[in-house]
Amino acid sequence: MLIRFFALLSLFAAIIVPARADDISASGRGVVRIVTIAVVGDEVVGFGHGSGFAVSPNRIVTNAHVVELASRYPDNVVIGVVPSEGDKSFQGKLIKIDKDRDLALIEFSGVRLPALTLYTGSPTDGEALFALGYPGNVDIATARSAADFIKPQSPVRSQGGFAGMRTLQGTSVLLHTANIARGNSGGPLLDRCGRVLGVNSAITRADEGDATFAFAISGKELAAFLSEARQPIAQVGVPCTSVEEQMAQERTAEEKARAEAEALSRSNAAKTAAEREDAIAQARARSDAARENYMAGAALLLVLGALAVGGGGLLLSRDRQREAIWVAAGGGILMLGAIALFFSRPGFDESKVIPVPKTPTGTAPVQITQGRMICTLAPERSRVTVTATDTVDLDVGEDGCINGRTQYAEAGTHWQRILVPDQEQTVSVLDYDPGTATYTHTRYLLSSEQMAKARSLRKGVPLKTCSSDQAKRAELATQQQSIRTALPAVYNEKLVYRCTEAEGPPPAVTGAK
């Protein structure tokens, strides 16, 4: 009877328009409403709800007080998990509860949710923070029936500031000013990159006009709880950089690179001009020296020829006719040679001068653009939100074959591959630039609707494994371009890696795909 009741409520669920595509909304797709229904016999005797968030595709963290009745009366209380997207709700099972920390872990099946990432750093005073969840006062104002409580819809967000660290009943908590209410319990407190800082659990009383503050169980306590439950969670420690800041940095870097390239071009042009002028001067000096040598040689031959002709005349006056003819003929040949040598002296044409580049005193290392490489993150060029920044092994083959198994398509002078997985709400654009040995992983965290569109465009991928067929690669590039066009204008995460030649055996089939 209880299962039929829960299933009946699920029939009223409806698909809600996905939240806008920013980091907080992306994290919101992993936030759920937790519903508890207490039944005695065939009668519903209790109904409660709170919030939670995914730490793995099928496990949810919430507050212990949200599901306390389920821990005390497991046979009479059903836990419902209501995602923020879709048209169904799911039944959950309590895996672990820690009443001292006020944390609980719930497992469910039927759908895979995008897991949130824990930020291991500390917020700064006054830093903007965001709370996501399902406040009860909003539900009271908008819910018309019990079915509305299990209708998938995007969580409510509120923004506040970090107000300090405190200890609440022996548990480390974050104090903040984001507005939360009953029903927000168990929902995440996020930084502006959408990483979990804590788990919202309580609010202060606002008597006689006092300001209201909220408490969130710290990420340190959450990590310890999950470690005890042997439940991994993605963690990053890189400070948050907004997309606007990152894009401004990219523009600055591009402008700097462009200015450096222009300065280098001007320097090279000046160097080339100076080398040419130097080559012309040297060529002119060599030409002048050669002309003088030719003219000196011609003069010498002319003198010798004249002497020989004179000697022939002298021999002829002494009746030595035969010798006179030979000597005079030799003199004539020498004089003709002098004339020929004079007119064959080299001229000078500076347009034919080709300067020889000077040998540099130090040579730059050769850029390796193929073969096995180790790629390490370039923090100044990256925006890290939810992904670990491990090094990446790449084995770049000919024709865009990466790691011996995945074909990348030509994208200008780059090699590029777009991944649209079936089980995740993330589209990844992987790009390798052979000119600079730079590998880039750009991630878009999408709604269910956006993922469905991307998957429909991915159908019939013409090429998956490596191929030297240029026509097939061109077809792959065209298909990938259609996916890129459907992606949001702004990414959520961009990891830029610098690659260098690696030693040792080829990489295992992990890392870049």
Side-chain angles (χ1 to χ4, degrees), residues 81-143:
V81 177
V82 187
S84 60
E85 294 182 317
D87 57 1
K88 293 181 180 180
S89 300
F90 305 90
Q91 187 168 341
K93 177 177 67 174
L94 185 62
I95 298 298
K96 182 177 175 61
I97 189 167
D98 185 335
K99 294 181 181 179
D100 292 333
R101 289 193 178 100
D102 195 17
L103 293 173
L105 184 63
I106 298 169
E107 186 176 68
F108 71 101
S109 60
V111 69
R112 292 173 61 87
L113 296 181
L116 275 65
T117 296
L118 177 65
Y119 176 55
T120 58
S122 300
T124 58
D125 290 341
E127 178 180 340
L129 307 179
F130 297 84
L132 289 181
Y134 297 90
N137 51 7
V138 174
D139 292 323
I140 292 173
T142 59

Side-chain angles (χ1 to χ4, degrees), residues 83-417:
S84 60
E85 294 182 317
D87 57 1
K88 293 181 180 180
S89 300
F90 305 90
Q91 187 168 341
K93 177 177 67 174
L94 185 62
I95 298 298
K96 182 177 175 61
I97 189 167
D98 185 335
K99 294 181 181 179
D100 292 333
R101 289 193 178 100
D102 195 17
L103 293 173
L105 184 63
I106 298 169
E107 186 176 68
F108 71 101
S109 60
V111 69
R112 292 173 61 87
L113 296 181
L116 275 65
T117 296
L118 177 65
Y119 176 55
T120 58
S122 300
T124 58
D125 290 341
E127 178 180 340
L129 307 179
F130 297 84
L132 289 181
Y134 297 90
N137 51 7
V138 174
D139 292 323
I140 292 173
T142 59
R144 290 169 295 177
S145 68
D148 289 321
F149 283 89
I150 62 166
K151 179 172 67 175
Q153 55 186 335
S154 59
V156 176
R157 76 163 72 186
S158 60
Q159 181 176 346
F162 175 64
M165 299 295 300
R166 293 292 186 273
T167 299
L168 184 64
Q169 297 177 350
T171 299
S172 173
V173 297
L174 288 81
L175 190 64
H176 65 89
T177 60
N179 290 325
I180 63 173
R182 294 175 182 176
N184 277 105
S185 293
L189 180 68
L190 309 172
D191 68 5
R192 57 194 176 123
C193 280
R195 290 94 61 94
V196 176
L197 296 171
V199 184
N200 287 310
S201 60
I203 56 175
T204 59
R205 295 180 59 180
D207 295 334
E208 299 180 359
D210 290 343
T212 300
F213 290 89
F215 296 100
I217 300 162
S218 70
K220 180 180 178 181
E221 299 281 5
L222 173 61
F225 167 73
L226 293 175
S227 176
E228 293 170 6
R230 297 183 179 180
Q231 173 58 55
I233 183 173
Q235 302 183 43
V236 297
V238 180
C240 177
T241 302
S242 71
V243 173
E244 293 76 15
E245 290 171 336
Q246 182 60 35
M247 294 180 77
Q249 289 178 10
E250 289 178 7
R251 286 193 296 270
T252 301
E254 289 174 357
E255 290 171 359
K256 181 180 178 181
R258 195 161 42 244
E260 289 177 349
E262 291 174 355
L264 180 61
S265 177
R266 290 193 297 269
S267 174
N268 288 338
K271 181 179 179 181
T272 299
E275 289 178 350
R276 177 169 177 76
E277 290 298 324
D278 185 51
I280 289 174
Q282 293 183 29
R284 188 186 301 277
R286 289 193 299 269
S287 176
D288 290 345
R291 284 171 60 85
E292 290 176 359
N293 290 336
Y294 270 66
M295 293 174 68
L300 178 61
L301 291 179
L302 184 62
V303 170
L304 293 175
L307 291 174
V309 170
L314 181 61
L315 290 173
L316 184 62
S317 67
R318 295 179 180 180
D319 293 328
R320 298 172 61 183
Q321 186 174 0
R322 183 179 179 85
E323 291 88 341
I325 294 174
W326 281 106
V327 171
I333 293 173
L334 288 173
M335 294 178 72
L336 290 175
I339 295 172
L341 190 61
F342 177 81
F343 285 107
S344 66
R345 66 190 185 280
F348 179 71
D349 184 357
E350 68 177 39
S351 65
K352 294 181 180 181
V353 177
I354 301 176
V356 178
K358 297 180 179 178
T359 303
T361 56
T363 57
V366 177
Q367 179 68 64
I368 303 299
T369 60
Q370 285 192 7
R372 190 192 167 206
M373 287 178 280
I374 296 294
C375 305
T376 54
L377 187 76
E380 73 282 1
R381 298 183 58 189
S382 301
R383 181 176 192 254
V384 182
T385 57
V386 297
T387 302
T389 56
D390 300 331
T391 58
V392 175
D393 268 353
L394 279 188
D395 189 3
V396 182
E398 294 183 357
D399 299 324
C401 178
I402 304 296
N403 290 351
R405 71 184 189 279
T406 305
Q407 181 63 56
Y408 281 40
E410 288 94 336
T413 60
H414 296 200
W415 293 103
Q416 194 172 93
R417 184 77 188 199

Side-chain angles (χ1 to χ4, degrees), residues 427-450:
V427 170
S428 295
V429 179
L430 308 179
D431 182 281
Y432 177 68
D433 179 4
T436 59
T438 301
Y439 175 71
T440 305
H441 182 173
T442 306
R443 302 181 77 228
Y444 297 82
L445 309 181
L446 305 182
S447 66
S448 296
E449 182 180 340
Q450 291 170 320

